[in-house]
Amino acid sequence: MPSLAAFVFHTRGVVLQNGATDATLFEYVFGGDNTLLAASFVVNIALAGVTILGIAYLGRNLTDPRSKAITIALMLISVVSISSYTGLTSALTLSVVEMPPGHPAAGATTAGQDGVLTMWGRYLTWTFSTPFILLGLGMIAGSNWTKILTTCAFTIAMCVTGLAAALTTSSLLLRWWWFVLGSIFFLVIVYVILVDWTAEARRTGTGDLFRTLKILTVVGWFGYPILWALGVEGFAVLDVAITSWGYSILDVITKYVVTFVAMSYVAREPDSITGGADYGATVPGITPTDD
């Protein structure tokens, strides 16, 4: 099976085939009248950096291995985000993609190229960051690893099909089919969070915390497909800058706000979070070390 890295490089080759260079797109975003679009990238770099520092500070005195594991999962959300938004800012993961016939934005031009600006780097963000969100939520709920890894697999499938929807130029129908397919995967994840993990959190003793986290996460996540449909990749009701800010605000809620809410609870190391000295051992009775 081809590696994810190979898939990323192949994707980049496909989206750059129209000849729009990184320098051209960087100048388009930062050198023209697109201050609103540029700010949607830069602000998130700053917020991701602040979140990483905040997690490091809140978790500085943690001793329990399970608390530490949740903390690392929460931190990696922002680690991925700051890297991804740097890619968008540098235009490394921006491209101009020509829309298929029948699309509302068909025939549009951007930065002297036929097509519309596509922020395909956002799909990389979601592909790598949402599994860490689910990892943190699943551990807080006290779920088993089979269920946690299943949701992670479905979220990767959701993000990859979303990327396929954004980059499909051959057929308008197929763009929307990719969108529907990704939405089905999304609903599977929502079911696990709202039904299975909610019940497990009540039994674990983290019900109140998980209720807040699931509302922020699920409500925020429903905003992404709505923005896709209304944005330039869907019905093109919203322009690129407004769509980008919509995604950025949703990222703030579902990543940084969720992280601080969860981390403020984990840092106190209540009994419902701690796992004991042998947490994480693959063999019962064998205590893992921090080496």
Side-chain angles (χ1 to χ4, degrees):
M1 180 180 292
S3 68
L4 185 57
F7 171 75
V8 170
F9 282 112
H10 173 71
T11 298
R12 179 165 166 75
V14 171
V15 297
L16 289 180
Q17 65 184 356
N18 61 5
T21 65
D22 292 352
T24 300
L25 294 176
F26 181 83
E27 180 65 23
Y28 172 77
V29 175
F30 287 91
D33 299 324
N34 292 303
T35 305
L36 190 64
L37 176 61
S40 70
F41 301 155
V42 176
V43 166
N44 265 270
I45 292 177
L47 290 175
V50 169
T51 303
I52 292 170
L53 294 175
I55 294 171
Y57 177 79
L58 290 173
R60 70 194 185 282
N61 296 322
L62 292 177
T63 58
D64 183 77
R66 186 166 183 267
S67 300
K68 292 179 180 179
I70 296 173
T71 298
I72 293 300
L74 295 174
M75 180 178 285
L76 286 173
I77 298 168
S78 293
V79 169
V80 171
S81 293
I82 197 170
S83 303
S84 174
Y85 273 103
T86 299
L88 291 169
T89 300
S90 63
L92 182 66
T93 54
L94 295 176
S95 293
V96 177
V97 175
E98 191 171 357
M99 295 294 104
H103 190 279
T109 59
T110 303
Q113 302 290 330
D114 292 334
V116 300
L117 188 70
T118 295
M119 298 167 286
W120 61 274
R122 288 191 178 277
Y123 297 92
L124 295 184
T125 307
W126 302 328
T127 299
F128 290 105
S129 65
T130 51
F132 291 121
I133 296 174
L134 292 169
L135 183 59
L137 290 177
M139 284 193 288
I140 288 171
S143 188
N144 61 69
W145 284 106
T146 299
K147 200 169 295 182
I148 291 174
L149 293 177
T150 298
T151 60
C152 289
F154 269 95
T155 196
I156 292 172
M158 174 187 70
C159 296
V160 171
T161 51
L163 176 61
L167 298 182
T168 295
T169 60
S170 58
S171 166
L172 183 61
L173 179 61
L174 285 176
R175 284 179 67 89
W176 283 103
W177 166 241
W178 281 119
F179 175 81
V180 170
L181 192 59
S183 298
I184 294 172
F185 298 149
F186 169 63
L187 291 177
V188 173
I189 302 165
V190 169
Y191 176 84
V192 172
I193 293 174
L194 295 183
V195 179
D196 290 3
W197 286 359
T198 297
E200 289 170 348
R202 284 197 295 266
R203 293 194 295 267
T204 303
T206 57
D208 291 341
L209 170 64
F210 192 80
R211 184 182 305 109
T212 300
L213 296 178
K214 76 177 180 182
I215 291 173
L216 289 171
T217 301
V218 172
V219 172
W221 280 8
F222 266 103
Y224 289 99
I226 293 173
L227 266 177
W228 195 98
L230 296 178
V232 70
E233 292 169 326
F235 294 115
V237 175
L238 305 175
D239 63 23
V240 172
I242 297 300
T243 303
S244 182
W245 260 111
Y247 286 139
S248 292
I249 291 172
L250 291 175
D251 279 354
V252 169
I253 296 170
T254 60
K255 293 185 175 77
Y256 316 135
V257 174
V258 164
T259 292
F260 275 114
V261 170
M263 194 60 212
S264 63
Y265 183 88
V266 172
R268 299 194 297 270
E269 292 193 307
D271 292 340
S272 56
I273 289 295
T274 54
D278 63 348
Y279 179 80
T282 55
V283 179
I286 302 298
T287 302
T289 67
D290 292 330
D291 294 341

